[in-house]
């Protein structure tokens, strides 16, 4: 969820989901606004994301990150805050990535009773020669950058 200048996204709950064979599991992605002109579906308001809850989610064979929250430099972002992850169980090639920026830091991010297990890309059927096979870079540890008040309670990261 999120894109170029998407306005307000708040008070959403996502629960009891199964995600398999996906590029990314949960994604809050705020890409760079294009330098020349507007993006094809660019909004007109600064993005403000607040109070999202993700619970009881099982992910298996995720080709990249099971949780990706990223704010790029040229996205008009007012804030990303109060994200709650509980009971997430994921098997993925990469670890979670939470990456704000200095002028739009991620705030109040909570992981409770989550388990992230890294798997090798060759453990995903039909992916040896697929679109993701050339990327041999693995995030060996979770990445948390420009995050204020990150709480990890009962959360495990099992890496290769």
């Amino acid at each position: 969820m999120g894109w170029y200048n998407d306005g307000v996204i708040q008070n959403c709950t996502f629960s009891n989901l199964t995600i398999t064979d996906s590029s990314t599991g949960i994604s809050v992605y705020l890409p760079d606004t294009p330098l020349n002109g507007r993006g094809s579906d660019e909004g007109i308001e600064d993005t403000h994301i607040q109070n999202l809850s993700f619970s009881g989610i099982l992910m298996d064979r995720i080709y990249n990150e099971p949780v990706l929250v990223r704010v790029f430099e040229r996205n008009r972002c007012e804030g990303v805050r109060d994200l709650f992850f509980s009971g997430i169980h994921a098997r993925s090639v990469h670890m979670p990535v939470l990456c704000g920026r200095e002028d739009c830091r991620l705030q109040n991010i909570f992981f409770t009773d989550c388990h992230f297990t890294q798997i090798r890309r060759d453990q995903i059927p039909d992916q040896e020669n697929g679109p993701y096979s050339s990327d041999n870079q693995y995030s060996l540890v979770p990445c948390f950058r420009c995050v204020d008040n990150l709480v990890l309670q009962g959360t495990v990261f099992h890496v290769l």
Side-chain angles (χ1 to χ4, degrees), residues 6-153:
D6 257 357
V8 176
I9 301 170
Q10 66 181 0
N11 303 328
C12 300
T13 300
F14 303 87
S15 63
N16 302 318
L17 301 171
T18 300
I19 302 169
T20 56
D21 297 316
S22 178
S23 174
T24 303
I26 298 166
S27 177
V28 176
Y29 191 77
L30 307 178
D32 275 336
T33 303
L35 286 174
N36 301 333
R38 291 176 50 83
S40 62
D41 56 354
E42 183 175 340
I44 58 172
E45 299 178 64
D46 292 358
T47 302
H48 177 88
I49 295 175
Q50 182 170 356
N51 197 28
L52 304 184
S53 174
F54 303 88
S55 65
I57 299 175
L58 175 63
M59 298 180 222
D60 192 26
R61 298 185 310 268
I62 304 300
Y63 312 139
N64 292 297
E65 297 85 7
V67 175
L68 173 64
V69 180
R70 186 154 185 204
V71 180
F72 283 82
E73 198 60 40
R74 292 187 314 272
N75 193 288
R76 291 178 25 216
C77 180
E78 181 182 315
V80 177
R81 60 182 60 91
D82 305 327
L83 304 182
F84 302 90
F85 301 90
S86 65
I88 308 293
H89 295 274
R91 290 177 6 103
S92 58
V93 174
H94 296 282
M95 287 281 113
V97 171
L98 304 176
C99 186
R101 62 178 198 232
E102 285 302 323
D103 66 336
C104 188
R105 299 178 71 82
L106 308 180
Q107 299 176 330
N108 306 327
I109 312 296
F110 299 88
F111 285 88
T112 304
D113 298 324
C114 295
H115 192 153
F116 298 97
T117 300
Q118 185 180 45
I119 60 175
R120 292 188 328 269
R121 186 149 291 167
D122 62 9
Q123 290 179 294
I124 301 173
D126 300 325
Q127 287 306 306
E128 283 187 50
N129 297 311
Y132 302 105
S133 63
S134 63
D135 178 9
N136 292 319
Q137 300 298 313
Y138 294 95
S139 300
L140 296 179
V141 295
C143 177
F144 304 120
R145 207 171 2 182
C146 294
V147 180
D148 296 331
N149 193 29
L150 171 65
V151 177
L152 303 172
Q153 182 177 13

